[in-house]
Amino acid sequence: MSHPVPPARVAPTRRADLPPVHGAVICVSAPCLVISPEHGQLTGRGVDGIYRAGLRLLSRCVLRVAGRDPVAVQGRSLGADRASFTATVRTGAEPGPDPDVGVERIRHADGTERITLRSFTGRPLRIPVEVSLGTDLAELADVAAGRDEPELPAAVHAAGLRWTNGEAQAVTAAEPPPDDALASAGLLRWQLELRPGESRTIELRTTRDRGARAPAGQVANPLSDDARAEGDDPRAEAWLRTSVQDLGALLLRDPKQPADSYAAAGVPWRLGLAPAESLWAARMALPLGTGLAGATLRILARTQTAGRGADAGKIPGPLRGAGPQLPPGCTGTEATLAFPAVLAEARLWGMPEAEADQLLPAAERCLEWIRGAFGEDGFVADPDPGPRRCETQAHAHRALLLGADLLAGCGRPGAEEWRDRAAALRERFAACFWVDGPDGGRPAAALHPDGRPLPRLTGAAAHLLDTGLLGGGRLARGLLDRVRTEQLARLLGAPAMDCGWGLRSMAVREPGHNPFGYRSGAVRPYESAVAVAGLAQAGFEKEATGLLRGLLDAAEGFGYRLPEMYAAEQRTEGSAPLPHPAACRPAAVAAAAGIHVLTALAGIRPDAPAGTVALVPLPGAPLGGLRLSGLRVSGEPFAVRISRMGLGMVEEAADALQLGG
């Protein structure tokens, strides 16, 4: 006799849900941000608005032409920092159903909007135009939490309107000035005369003060801005171009040292420093130059914990959710483990020796912290006390090996100790983390503090393949032997993990799988890119190619601006990748993933201090012939061509570089 199963209880919500933004058109040039609905009208509802440094300067901007709301036709991104909204109006000047006025709104992240009206009629038109404006001067965090604030009363500005709450103010100025400004209604009005075929433009400028315009391009971009990907598959160029633009648009200055910049985690929710993600984005962008990595490392070094306590040498960072299977992980642990590895690889890509020497003491302090972070069981807990995560051991192992290589290359003592510790970690990992099974086994997602494995297959296992780059174009040794590496490659390339749009963050049949779950099923482009590059480096062409093509198809589906995550629904004929409603887009690691994947096809392995660069392209040329140019090795332009046969050739490089390995 069966008994009815009671329905699952839904836990009470502790905080307001993030508003959905998957349908929004987002423009960003940090710290400037504009969130618009697809129709382009800022209605004053929800999260839409013009923001600067997290403050909403304008929440309502509604256009009416000839007393009518324009009919929205299309909203689309024109680049990281601007978008276009096209609409039409029927004024009644001509018989029939055809629109007789076209409306185009070009909206920029810096708060500038140009509204252009074009006449399609054969007779002169006199058109009343009005723009309804308003704001609450609310903080984005309050808007996201659902705390509604009333609109503030407006005052007439010389060429527009002004709002203030005593602590901040916003000004919207218009050019040409309006014929009429009604502060009580928040209205600007014009009477425009259009001859047949003529266009007229109204420019609105929203700023925090009475100045003419908010400065655009807040940070000098340290990345190469002329990177190109030309080849048989034109999508590669669009993906690389968008990735570079989005990463550049997320750059913010360090307030303590404005000459240094970092990549903010993503918009709209995380427009600030996230230690681990900012560092991973800088690492994946190394083929575009070492400037971002150097600046990010300096910023994090300034936050490093001083003194002699247990946290000495650690880079602080907040906790980050890890899904329902594990407690939150510490991003500070991840950043501390990443620091020496990123510095080591940046030096190989051509970071100036003086810059690397300046950062070397901070890397040594990270290594000292790692020594104390190992528990009695020989693993690094995250957080301590807590689970021993699979990817944390991979990060620690990479830090030890690349840190040792860094010390040896810079003539500093201690390299052998860290290599010995890496070897000991390999032995312990092999004995404790591998879960045997009839299918060949798998790495555990984590070990509980009592040593019990959590036998989930997750996307985090991809980090076991990312061993890192050593001098002479060699790859560091991984935690897995060749047999288990081959088994992991097979698992990652199977349908349970490869959904056709990228790598699932947890296998489809695991308990608790959720195709929208951040760490319990959804595709995270960063993790997919790590898997593609790791599989390519380990020689697993089929699995790397499958994930690569799925990721590129997903990028095309998202207009080449990949969100930080999206649903891992199984791909079928005619389907499209499904967005996650709350995902940041653009996001730093998702943008950098495009750079990482495309340059991984060429297998570029530089050793700038030794004056060599090796090429190990992915066999089979999965995207056909491909030429990558505008890259940087040793601070000089670098270009490489991959033939349809998968053969690589350097076309441009610094004079001091020799092809090796």
Side-chain angles (χ1 to χ4, degrees):
M1 180 178 178
S2 62
H3 296 278
V5 178
R9 295 185 61 188
V10 178
T13 304
R14 295 185 178 179
R15 62 181 181 181
D17 293 335
L18 290 175
V21 291
H22 60 285
V25 180
I26 294 179
C27 307
V28 59
S29 179
C32 303
L33 170 68
V34 180
I35 307 172
S36 308
E38 196 172 14
H39 52 69
Q41 298 273 41
L42 302 181
T43 63
R45 297 187 296 270
V47 74
D48 299 336
I50 296 174
Y51 296 83
R52 181 172 174 82
L55 182 71
R56 181 154 66 178
L57 303 184
L58 198 67
S59 59
R60 181 164 51 87
C61 183
V62 177
L63 172 69
R64 288 177 63 85
V65 179
R68 306 183 183 192
D69 292 331
V71 176
V73 174
Q74 184 186 71
R76 63 190 181 97
S77 174
L78 299 178
D81 63 345
R82 62 195 186 282
S84 168
F85 304 93
T86 303
T88 61
V89 177
R90 276 197 72 239
T91 66
E94 298 283 0
D98 297 336
D100 46 31
V101 173
V103 181
E104 184 178 47
R105 305 171 74 170
I106 305 294
R107 188 169 290 155
H108 293 251
D110 67 3
T112 303
E113 178 172 341
R114 294 181 180 86
I115 303 170
T116 300
L117 286 78
R118 181 159 62 99
S119 172
F120 299 146
T121 69
R123 64 186 72 182
L125 291 177
R126 182 176 177 82
I127 304 175
V129 176
E130 68 178 32
V131 178
S132 174
L133 302 170
T135 189
D136 50 10
L137 288 178
E139 294 287 343
L140 177 57
D142 293 331
V143 176
R147 293 190 282 272
D148 294 329
E149 297 289 341
E151 283 193 357
L152 297 167
V156 174
H157 179 65
L161 299 174
R162 177 172 59 89
W163 302 265
T164 183
N165 61 6
E167 298 177 355
Q169 73 168 3
V171 174
T172 297
E175 178 62 38
D179 300 323
D180 194 15
L182 301 177
S184 59
L187 281 177
L188 304 181
R189 291 174 171 167
W190 295 261
Q191 289 286 337
L192 299 184
E193 295 185 359
L194 294 175
R195 295 188 295 272
E198 186 180 17
S199 297
R200 295 286 301 276
T201 297
I202 297 169
E203 182 174 280
L204 304 176
R205 300 181 300 276
T206 300
T207 65
R208 295 189 70 163
D209 51 40
R210 299 172 187 268
R213 184 190 295 264
Q218 298 298 309
V219 177
N221 193 338
L223 302 173
S224 170
D225 58 2
D226 57 353
R228 297 289 181 269
E230 308 161 85
D232 294 336
D233 193 329
R235 299 177 301 168
E237 166 61 19
W239 192 14
L240 182 61
R241 181 178 65 250
T242 304
S243 296
V244 173
Q245 289 178 353
D246 283 349
L247 194 57
L250 291 170
L251 296 181
L252 280 171
R253 297 182 190 275
D254 178 21
K256 296 181 180 179
Q257 294 287 339
D260 287 339
S261 58
Y262 63 90
V267 293
W269 316 124
R270 305 174 67 207
L271 192 54
L273 178 66
E277 290 172 42
S278 297
L279 203 50
W280 291 134
R283 181 198 184 202
M284 291 192 291
L286 281 172
L288 304 185
T290 64
L292 180 59
T296 306
L297 289 165
R298 285 191 294 274
I299 291 168
L300 295 180
R302 290 192 284 269
T303 73
Q304 195 171 31
T305 304
R308 296 181 177 276
D311 283 342
K314 186 177 182 180
I315 295 169
L319 295 179
R320 178 176 57 206
Q325 310 294 331
L326 291 167
C330 181
T331 60
T333 298
E334 193 173 336
T336 309
L337 297 175
F339 192 105
V342 174
L343 177 57
E345 291 189 320
R347 179 175 174 270
L348 296 178
W349 279 91
M351 174 182 280
E353 288 294 328
E355 189 176 355
D357 288 344
Q358 179 189 15
L359 289 163
L360 195 54
E364 290 177 311
R365 288 193 292 272
C366 288
L367 291 169
E368 290 294 332
W369 176 85
I370 296 172
R371 177 193 283 126
F374 282 104
E376 292 182 1
D377 59 0
F379 298 115
V380 178
D382 182 24
D384 189 22
R388 282 68 172 146
R389 302 170 199 266
C390 168
E391 67 271 28
T392 302
Q393 313 319 311
H395 297 327
H397 185 255
R398 185 191 310 114
L400 294 173
L401 286 182
L402 271 62
D405 199 60
L406 174 68
L407 295 178
C410 294
R412 302 287 275 262
E416 283 308 311
E417 176 193 349
W418 305 120
R419 292 190 181 112
D420 290 344
R421 286 184 173 273
L425 178 56
R426 272 196 305 275
E427 291 182 11
R428 289 190 293 271
F429 190 91
C432 300
F433 261 85
W434 193 261
V435 180
D436 289 318
D439 62 348
R442 62 177 63 182
L447 298 183
H448 294 285
D450 62 6
R452 289 179 298 114
L454 178 65
R456 302 283 187 270
L457 178 59
T458 70
H463 292 279
L464 294 170
L465 300 171
D466 177 17
T467 57
L469 184 64
L470 300 175
R474 297 172 295 119
L475 295 176
R477 183 177 176 183
L479 279 172
L480 301 179
D481 61 25
R482 182 65 187 178
V483 173
R484 289 178 174 178
T485 299
E486 184 174 357
Q487 169 65 0
L488 177 59
R490 187 186 67 79
L491 292 171
L492 297 183
M497 287 297 290
D498 181 357
C499 71
W501 302 112
L503 187 73
R504 291 184 168 98
S505 53
M506 190 163 76
V508 72
R509 292 196 178 115
E510 296 290 356
H513 171 81
N514 176 358
F516 284 90
Y518 173 54
R519 299 238 176 191
S520 56
V523 174
R524 301 169 61 222
Y526 160 60
E527 218 158 59
S528 294
V530 168
V532 170
L535 288 165
Q537 291 168 353
F540 297 101
E541 175 189 352
K542 177 184 174 182
E543 291 80 4
T545 296
L547 287 171
L548 163 63
R549 287 176 174 161
L551 202 56
L552 178 55
D553 291 343
E556 182 182 19
F558 285 110
Y560 301 102
R561 173 182 277 184
L562 282 170
E564 64 174 325
M565 58 180 167
Y566 49 91
E569 294 285 15
Q570 186 62 45
R571 182 175 183 172
T572 58
E573 185 176 355
S575 67
L578 297 177
H580 189 293
C584 285
R585 181 170 176 256
V589 290
I595 302 166
H596 192 55
V597 166
L598 291 172
T599 54
L601 288 176
I604 306 167
R605 301 181 186 177
D607 185 350
T612 65
V613 60
L615 291 183
V616 188
L618 182 63
L623 300 185
L626 179 68
R627 181 178 187 269
L628 298 171
S629 61
L631 308 181
R632 293 287 185 274
V633 178
S634 295
E636 297 292 331
F638 185 82
V640 61
R641 183 182 297 276
I642 309 301
S643 74
R644 293 187 180 97
M645 302 296 292
L647 302 177
M649 178 177 67
V650 174
E651 291 192 341
E652 183 180 18
D655 291 339
L657 280 180
Q658 298 293 322
L659 187 63

